[in-house]
Amino acid sequence: EAQVTQNPRYLITVTGKKLTVTCSQNMNHEYMSWYRQDPGLGLRQIYYSMNVEVTDKGDVPEGYKVSRKEKRNFPLILESPSPNQTSLYFCASGKGSLYEQYFGPGTRLTVT
Amino acid sequence: GDSVTQMEGPVTLSEEAFLTINCTYTATGYPSLFWYVQYPGEGLQLLLKATKADDKGSNKGFEATYRKETTSFHLEKGSVQVSDSAVYFCALDTGRRALTFGSGTRLQVQP
């Protein structure tokens, strides 16, 4: 089954404790992206990757890091989480940015 | 910059009612336009899309027409069902490698 998986689905952590949210896709897509969803703001792009070892900032990259060492994986790293990063995070993949994007189920992060 | 404006929700309708969710956009160039749907507890799914002016996207009884003259892409369905209850997002892509989303409109359909 074609899918995008994210782990964990729910995470509660404390300020400053480094965390990684994993994202994996099994569709051999070149394009992958991270979004955060906040009430009243829709989805905003954090980072994206056009291919292995090619990443770039989206609209709200501050406080986040990503890496793309393999085509299927695109982890999101918060080295020092803060409460303003409490949000619902979605990973997405696609053949290219102009094509349909397939979204993962989301990771709800709470930083206290 | 690019932006998408959607009508605020929630939109509450009775089953079999007609649905319209308004979406207007601001963009440079000629964007592709999308409607995504998010069911409770799930990620977003593409509902329909249109890539050029006057194109009509359709899927599952939903339709939207790309109107360049009014910069709009309103979502419509002739007869909604309870199972259509979800959050609907209008989005555009100008080719700058990101989707720009509206804030989402929650639809609640009552039996």
Side-chain angles (χ1 to χ4, degrees):
Chain A
E1 179 190 354
Q3 60 182 351
V4 177
T5 57
Q6 295 179 227
N7 282 292
R9 293 289 311 277
Y10 302 90
L11 180 59
I12 301 174
T13 189
V14 297
T15 299
K17 185 176 182 181
K18 181 179 179 179
L19 66 91
T20 299
V21 183
T22 65
C23 172
S24 183
Q25 50 96 1
N26 63 0
M27 294 169 278
N28 201 36
H29 286 160
E30 293 175 344
Y31 178 87
M32 297 186 74
S33 180
W34 276 102
Y35 295 87
R36 60 177 288 173
Q37 182 180 12
D38 301 292
L41 297 177
L43 279 78
R44 294 176 293 167
Q45 190 183 53
I46 302 170
Y47 269 94
Y48 66 92
S49 170
M50 298 297 287
N51 213 327
V52 175
E53 301 291 1
V54 181
T55 63
D56 209 345
K57 297 177 181 179
D59 294 323
V60 289
E62 293 77 21
Y64 304 95
K65 286 177 57 176
V66 293
S67 69
R68 187 89 182 273
K69 293 181 170 39
E70 305 167 282
K71 199 171 189 178
R72 63 183 293 124
N73 296 323
F74 190 46
L76 179 69
I77 303 157
L78 286 73
E79 297 224 325
S80 184
S82 62
N84 64 12
Q85 293 177 297
T86 292
S87 187
L88 180 58
Y89 292 86
F90 288 101
C91 180
S93 74
K95 287 191 292 184
S97 61
L98 292 179
Y99 296 87
E100 175 180 358
Q101 293 190 34
Y102 295 81
F103 284 78
T107 295
R108 185 166 294 282
L109 172 65
T110 302
V111 183
T112 61
Chain B
D2 301 338
S3 66
V4 176
T5 302
Q6 290 181 234
M7 61 189 291
E8 286 196 24
V11 173
T12 303
L13 296 173
S14 297
E15 208 164 21
E16 299 184 3
F18 185 86
L19 168 71
T20 300
I21 299 178
N22 290 337
C23 170
T24 57
Y25 67 90
T26 302
T28 54
Y30 302 97
S32 294
L33 301 173
F34 306 84
W35 277 101
Y36 279 81
V37 58
Q38 184 180 30
Y39 298 104
E42 298 183 10
L44 281 72
Q45 304 172 25
L46 180 65
L47 181 59
L48 54 85
K49 68 178 181 182
T51 58
K52 61 183 188 295
D54 300 324
D55 269 2
K56 177 186 283 188
S58 62
N59 187 25
K60 299 181 181 179
F62 291 90
E63 292 183 340
T65 301
Y66 188 162
R67 303 281 188 204
K68 183 182 170 191
E69 62 277 9
T70 55
T71 62
S72 65
F73 192 54
H74 305 322
L75 182 67
E76 297 181 335
K77 187 175 185 183
S79 176
V80 294
Q81 306 300 312
V82 172
S83 57
D84 294 326
S85 298
V87 181
Y88 292 82
F89 290 92
C90 185
L92 67 83
D93 189 336
T94 58
R96 66 174 187 88
R97 303 172 180 176
L99 286 172
T100 299
F101 285 89
S103 57
T105 302
R106 182 175 298 278
L107 170 65
Q108 297 174 336
V109 181
Q110 298 175 337

